[in-house]
Short mmCIF file of all heavy atoms in Angstrom, two decimals:
data_model
loop_
_atom_site.label_atom_id
_atom_site.label_comp_id
_atom_site.label_asym_id
_atom_site.label_seq_id
_atom_site.Cartn_x
_atom_site.Cartn_y
_atom_site.Cartn_z
N GLU W 52 -25.51 13.46 20.17
CA GLU W 52 -24.67 13.59 21.23
C GLU W 52 -25.37 14.13 22.44
O GLU W 52 -26.06 15.21 22.32
CB GLU W 52 -23.59 14.54 20.71
CG GLU W 52 -22.78 13.89 19.52
CD GLU W 52 -21.80 15.01 18.86
OE1 GLU W 52 -20.88 15.43 19.51
OE2 GLU W 52 -22.14 15.44 17.71
N ALA W 53 -25.21 13.67 23.54
CA ALA W 53 -26.04 13.97 24.60
C ALA W 53 -25.73 15.48 25.22
O ALA W 53 -26.77 15.97 25.77
CB ALA W 53 -25.62 13.04 25.92
N TYR W 54 -24.47 16.06 24.86
CA TYR W 54 -24.48 17.35 25.31
C TYR W 54 -25.06 18.34 24.44
O TYR W 54 -25.15 19.59 24.79
CB TYR W 54 -22.97 17.66 25.61
CG TYR W 54 -22.12 17.65 24.21
CD1 TYR W 54 -22.03 18.87 23.49
CD2 TYR W 54 -21.50 16.53 23.75
CE1 TYR W 54 -21.25 18.79 22.20
CE2 TYR W 54 -20.73 16.40 22.70
CZ TYR W 54 -20.50 17.58 21.94
OH TYR W 54 -19.83 17.63 20.81
N LYS W 55 -25.54 17.94 23.29
CA LYS W 55 -26.21 18.84 22.39
C LYS W 55 -27.71 18.84 22.60
O LYS W 55 -28.34 17.64 22.60
CB LYS W 55 -25.97 18.46 20.83
CG LYS W 55 -24.50 18.60 20.42
CD LYS W 55 -24.44 18.40 18.96
CE LYS W 55 -23.01 18.79 18.37
NZ LYS W 55 -22.84 18.49 17.04
N GLN W 56 -28.30 19.98 22.88
CA GLN W 56 -29.73 20.02 23.06
C GLN W 56 -30.53 19.89 21.80
O GLN W 56 -31.66 19.39 21.87
CB GLN W 56 -29.99 21.34 23.81
CG GLN W 56 -29.54 21.43 25.15
CD GLN W 56 -29.88 22.67 25.95
OE1 GLN W 56 -30.49 23.58 25.30
NE2 GLN W 56 -29.70 22.67 27.24
N GLN W 57 -30.03 20.20 20.69
CA GLN W 57 -30.78 20.17 19.54
C GLN W 57 -30.83 18.73 19.05
O GLN W 57 -29.91 17.95 19.07
CB GLN W 57 -30.02 20.90 18.39
CG GLN W 57 -30.77 21.03 17.02
CD GLN W 57 -30.03 21.93 16.08
OE1 GLN W 57 -28.93 22.44 16.36
NE2 GLN W 57 -30.68 22.23 14.97
N ASN W 58 -31.97 18.27 18.64
CA ASN W 58 -32.26 17.02 18.21
C ASN W 58 -31.62 16.71 16.76
O ASN W 58 -31.76 17.64 15.85
CB ASN W 58 -33.81 16.74 18.08
CG ASN W 58 -34.47 16.52 19.45
OD1 ASN W 58 -33.80 16.00 20.39
ND2 ASN W 58 -35.66 17.07 19.47
N ALA W 59 -30.96 15.54 16.72
CA ALA W 59 -30.28 15.16 15.47
C ALA W 59 -31.40 14.99 14.23
O ALA W 59 -32.35 14.33 14.54
CB ALA W 59 -29.45 14.05 15.52
N THR W 60 -30.91 15.26 13.08
CA THR W 60 -31.94 15.04 11.94
C THR W 60 -30.99 14.53 10.70
O THR W 60 -29.93 15.10 10.54
CB THR W 60 -32.63 16.42 11.48
OG1 THR W 60 -33.40 16.75 12.51
CG2 THR W 60 -33.46 16.11 10.30
N GLU W 61 -31.45 13.56 9.93
CA GLU W 61 -30.88 13.06 8.83
C GLU W 61 -32.05 12.87 7.89
O GLU W 61 -32.66 11.79 7.80
CB GLU W 61 -29.98 11.72 9.07
CG GLU W 61 -28.84 11.94 9.88
CD GLU W 61 -27.60 12.53 9.12
OE1 GLU W 61 -27.71 12.52 7.91
OE2 GLU W 61 -26.74 13.13 9.71
N ASN W 62 -32.17 13.84 7.01
CA ASN W 62 -33.28 13.71 6.00
C ASN W 62 -34.56 13.40 6.57
O ASN W 62 -35.10 14.25 7.34
CB ASN W 62 -32.81 12.59 4.89
CG ASN W 62 -31.49 13.04 4.23
OD1 ASN W 62 -31.26 14.18 3.76
ND2 ASN W 62 -30.63 12.10 4.17
N ARG W 63 -35.08 12.23 6.27
CA ARG W 63 -36.47 11.90 6.85
C ARG W 63 -36.39 11.32 8.20
O ARG W 63 -37.46 11.11 8.86
CB ARG W 63 -37.06 10.83 5.88
CG ARG W 63 -37.33 11.35 4.35
CD ARG W 63 -38.05 10.31 3.65
NE ARG W 63 -37.30 9.05 3.45
CZ ARG W 63 -37.50 7.99 4.07
NH1 ARG W 63 -38.50 7.89 4.89
NH2 ARG W 63 -36.66 6.88 3.88
N PHE W 64 -35.22 11.21 8.65
CA PHE W 64 -35.01 10.76 10.12
C PHE W 64 -34.75 11.72 11.06
O PHE W 64 -33.89 12.52 10.89
CB PHE W 64 -33.98 9.62 10.06
CG PHE W 64 -34.27 8.41 9.24
CD1 PHE W 64 -33.96 8.46 7.78
CD2 PHE W 64 -34.93 7.26 9.76
CE1 PHE W 64 -34.22 7.33 7.01
CE2 PHE W 64 -35.24 6.12 8.89
CZ PHE W 64 -34.90 6.26 7.58
N SER W 65 -35.39 11.70 12.19
CA SER W 65 -35.01 12.60 13.33
C SER W 65 -35.24 11.94 14.64
O SER W 65 -35.86 10.87 14.63
CB SER W 65 -35.92 13.88 13.23
OG SER W 65 -37.31 13.54 13.33
N VAL W 66 -34.67 12.56 15.56
CA VAL W 66 -34.95 11.93 16.97
C VAL W 66 -35.53 12.93 17.90
O VAL W 66 -35.40 14.21 17.67
CB VAL W 66 -33.46 11.54 17.48
CG1 VAL W 66 -32.78 10.43 16.61
CG2 VAL W 66 -32.61 12.69 17.78
N ASN W 67 -36.10 12.50 19.00
CA ASN W 67 -36.59 13.23 19.97
C ASN W 67 -35.90 12.72 21.23
O ASN W 67 -36.09 11.79 21.79
CB ASN W 67 -38.11 13.05 20.18
CG ASN W 67 -38.62 14.04 21.29
OD1 ASN W 67 -37.95 14.77 21.92
ND2 ASN W 67 -39.97 13.79 21.67
N PHE W 68 -34.83 13.56 21.58
CA PHE W 68 -33.85 13.30 22.61
C PHE W 68 -34.39 14.01 23.98
O PHE W 68 -34.34 15.26 23.93
CB PHE W 68 -32.51 13.59 22.20
CG PHE W 68 -31.45 13.36 23.36
CD1 PHE W 68 -31.46 12.18 24.10
CD2 PHE W 68 -30.65 14.41 23.61
CE1 PHE W 68 -30.56 12.03 25.06
CE2 PHE W 68 -29.62 14.20 24.66
CZ PHE W 68 -29.54 12.90 25.42
N GLN W 69 -34.80 13.27 25.00
CA GLN W 69 -35.02 13.83 26.27
C GLN W 69 -34.21 13.37 27.23
O GLN W 69 -34.44 12.25 27.89
CB GLN W 69 -36.48 13.37 26.63
CG GLN W 69 -37.69 13.81 25.56
CD GLN W 69 -37.83 15.32 25.49
OE1 GLN W 69 -37.69 15.96 26.52
NE2 GLN W 69 -38.34 15.85 24.39
N LYS W 70 -33.10 14.09 27.59
CA LYS W 70 -32.01 13.55 28.29
C LYS W 70 -32.44 13.27 29.79
O LYS W 70 -32.09 12.29 30.43
CB LYS W 70 -30.93 14.64 28.40
CG LYS W 70 -29.54 14.02 29.06
CD LYS W 70 -28.34 14.99 28.96
CE LYS W 70 -27.12 14.47 29.63
NZ LYS W 70 -26.06 15.49 29.39
N ALA W 71 -33.27 14.19 30.39
CA ALA W 71 -33.71 13.95 31.73
C ALA W 71 -34.55 12.62 31.87
O ALA W 71 -34.40 11.95 32.90
CB ALA W 71 -34.52 15.16 32.26
N ALA W 72 -35.33 12.39 30.83
CA ALA W 72 -36.30 11.22 30.92
C ALA W 72 -35.58 10.06 30.27
O ALA W 72 -36.07 8.82 30.30
CB ALA W 72 -37.50 11.53 30.09
N LYS W 73 -34.17 10.19 29.77
CA LYS W 73 -33.46 9.12 29.21
C LYS W 73 -34.22 8.48 28.23
O LYS W 73 -34.35 7.19 28.26
CB LYS W 73 -32.97 8.10 30.24
CG LYS W 73 -32.02 8.82 31.22
CD LYS W 73 -31.50 7.94 32.39
CE LYS W 73 -30.56 8.66 33.36
NZ LYS W 73 -30.14 7.90 34.39
N SER W 74 -34.73 9.28 27.32
CA SER W 74 -35.62 8.80 26.17
C SER W 74 -35.04 9.37 24.88
O SER W 74 -34.46 10.39 24.77
CB SER W 74 -37.04 9.31 26.25
OG SER W 74 -37.74 9.19 25.09
N PHE W 75 -35.02 8.36 23.87
CA PHE W 75 -34.41 8.64 22.65
C PHE W 75 -35.16 7.98 21.50
O PHE W 75 -34.91 6.89 21.14
CB PHE W 75 -32.88 8.04 22.64
CG PHE W 75 -32.19 8.25 21.33
CD1 PHE W 75 -31.82 9.56 20.90
CD2 PHE W 75 -31.62 7.07 20.76
CE1 PHE W 75 -31.05 9.64 19.85
CE2 PHE W 75 -30.86 7.29 19.71
CZ PHE W 75 -30.53 8.56 19.09
N SER W 76 -36.27 8.74 21.03
CA SER W 76 -37.16 8.06 20.02
C SER W 76 -36.70 8.53 18.63
O SER W 76 -36.11 9.60 18.40
CB SER W 76 -38.54 8.35 20.30
OG SER W 76 -38.69 9.83 20.27
N LEU W 77 -37.10 7.59 17.74
CA LEU W 77 -36.75 7.78 16.35
C LEU W 77 -38.04 8.12 15.49
O LEU W 77 -38.99 7.30 15.64
CB LEU W 77 -36.03 6.63 15.63
CG LEU W 77 -35.74 6.59 14.12
CD1 LEU W 77 -34.68 7.70 13.93
CD2 LEU W 77 -35.27 5.37 13.68
N LYS W 78 -38.01 9.26 14.76
CA LYS W 78 -39.17 9.45 13.97
C LYS W 78 -38.78 9.41 12.52
O LYS W 78 -37.77 9.89 12.11
CB LYS W 78 -39.68 11.02 14.28
CG LYS W 78 -40.95 11.24 13.53
CD LYS W 78 -41.52 12.55 13.89
CE LYS W 78 -40.94 13.84 13.27
NZ LYS W 78 -41.73 15.03 13.46
#
Side-chain angles (χ1 to χ4, degrees):
Chain W
E52 298 170 70
Y54 66 87
K55 289 189 176 179
Q56 293 188 346
Q57 186 174 8
N58 289 324
T60 300
E61 288 286 342
N62 301 312
R63 298 183 294 107
F64 298 86
S65 61
V66 300
N67 182 5
F68 174 50
Q69 303 288 331
K70 190 174 182 181
K73 295 181 181 173
S74 169
F75 180 59
S76 59
L77 175 69
K78 186 170 84 170

